[in-house]
C-alpha cells in the first residue's frame, strides 16, 4: 500500500514524459516547417501572394542588403523551403533547423533597429519567435516521431545541435558581411 502511494506521488514515468516531449516536438516541427516552407514558396515563386524572387530581392535592398540580392533571395527561399521540409518530416533535422535559424537570425538582425513589436513591417518579434523555435528544434532534436529516429543526431541532439548552431552563426555572419 505504501509503495502505491509513493508511486502515485512520483509523477509520470519516463515513458509518459518522453511521449509528451516527442509529441510536443512533433507539433513544434510541423508548425515551424509549414510556416517557414510557406515563406520560402512566397519568396521563390510568389505563392500565397508572395513577392517572388524579384520582389523579394527588392525587399532585401530595402532592408539594407546592397549586393547579390537576387542570389540572396534564391538562397533564402531555398533554405526556407528545404529547411522547412526537413524539419517538418524530421529528416536531417540539425541541417534543416540550422538553415531556418540562419535565415531568422539575419532577419532579426536587419529588423532590430525597427524595435521589437511589429509596426508597418519594422518589428522583429515574429522572426525572433521563429528563430527561438528553430533553435529549440536544433538543440532538442526531432524527437522519436520523425524519420531521424535511428540516427546519431537524434540520439545525441545537443552535440549535433551545437555544431549546427556554429554553422548557422557562421553562415549568418558571412551573409551580413558580404551582402550588407
Amino acid at each position: 500500500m505504501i509503495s502505491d502511494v509513493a508511486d502515485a506521488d512520483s509523477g509520470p514515468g519516463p515513458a509518459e514524459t518522453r511521449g509528451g516531449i516527442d509529441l510536443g516536438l512533433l507539433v513544434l516541427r510541423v508548425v515551424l516547417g509549414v510556416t517557414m516552407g510557406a515563406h520560402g514558396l512566397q519568396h521563390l515563386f510568389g505563392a500565397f501572394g508572395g513577392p517572388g524572387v524579384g520582389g523579394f530581392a527588392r525587399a532585401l535592398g530595402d532592408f539594407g542588403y546592397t549586393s547579390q540580392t537576387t542570389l540572396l533571395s534564391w538562397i533564402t527561399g531555398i533554405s526556407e523551403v528545404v529547411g522547412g521540409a526537413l524539419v517538418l518530416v524530421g529528416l536531417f533535422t540539425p541541417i534543416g533547423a540550422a538553415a531556418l535559424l540562419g535565415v531568422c537570425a539575419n532577419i532579426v538582425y536587419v529588423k532590430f533597429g525597427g524595435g521589437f513589436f511589429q509596426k508597418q513591417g519594422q518589428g522583429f518579434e515574429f522572426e525572433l519567435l521563429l528563430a527561438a523555435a528553430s533553435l529549440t528544434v536544433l538543440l532538442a532534436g526531432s524527437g522519436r516521431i520523425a524519420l531521424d529516429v535511428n540516427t546519431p543526431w537524434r540520439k545525441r541532439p545537443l552535440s549535433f545541435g551545437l555544431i549546427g548552431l556554429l554553422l548557422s552563426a557562421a553562415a549568418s555572419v558571412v551573409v551580413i558581411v558580404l551582402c550588407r
Side-chain angles (χ1 to χ4, degrees):
M1 182 76 163
I2 293 174
S3 65
D4 289 341
V5 172
D7 288 340
D9 290 338
S10 65
E16 283 184 46
T17 303
R18 186 71 228 178
I21 291 170
D22 291 329
L23 186 58
L25 284 170
L26 174 64
V27 170
L28 181 61
R29 285 190 2 251
V30 167
V31 171
L32 178 63
V34 168
T35 300
M36 293 299 289
H39 276 280
L41 293 174
Q42 284 184 310
H43 296 151
L44 290 176
F45 307 114
F48 312 113
V53 170
F56 187 49
R58 286 187 295 280
L60 289 173
D62 293 342
F63 281 120
Y65 289 97
T66 57
S67 65
Q68 304 297 327
T69 55
T70 302
L71 177 62
L72 188 56
S73 296
W74 279 102
I75 291 169
T76 301
I78 290 169
S79 296
E80 290 172 329
V81 170
V82 173
L86 291 175
V87 166
L88 174 67
V89 298
L91 180 64
F92 301 111
T93 306
I95 295 169
L100 299 181
L101 179 60
V103 168
C104 292
N106 273 287
I107 298 168
V108 169
Y109 176 80
V110 300
K111 287 186 161 187
F112 194 80
F116 180 74
F117 295 105
Q118 293 282 335
K119 294 176 277 190
Q120 301 168 2
Q122 295 298 314
F124 64 90
E125 63 181 311
F126 177 65
E127 291 82 6
L128 183 63
L129 184 60
L130 291 173
S134 299
L135 182 60
T136 300
V137 171
L138 181 60
L139 296 177
S142 61
R144 291 183 297 177
I145 309 171
L147 295 177
D148 276 344
V149 72
N150 290 319
T151 60
W153 50 88
R154 209 282 301 161
K155 294 175 183 172
R156 294 185 324 204
L158 183 59
S159 300
F160 285 91
L162 291 174
I163 293 168
L165 178 60
L166 290 173
L167 293 174
S168 180
S172 293
V173 168
V174 166
V175 167
I176 290 167
V177 168
L178 294 180
C179 298
R180 280 191 58 97

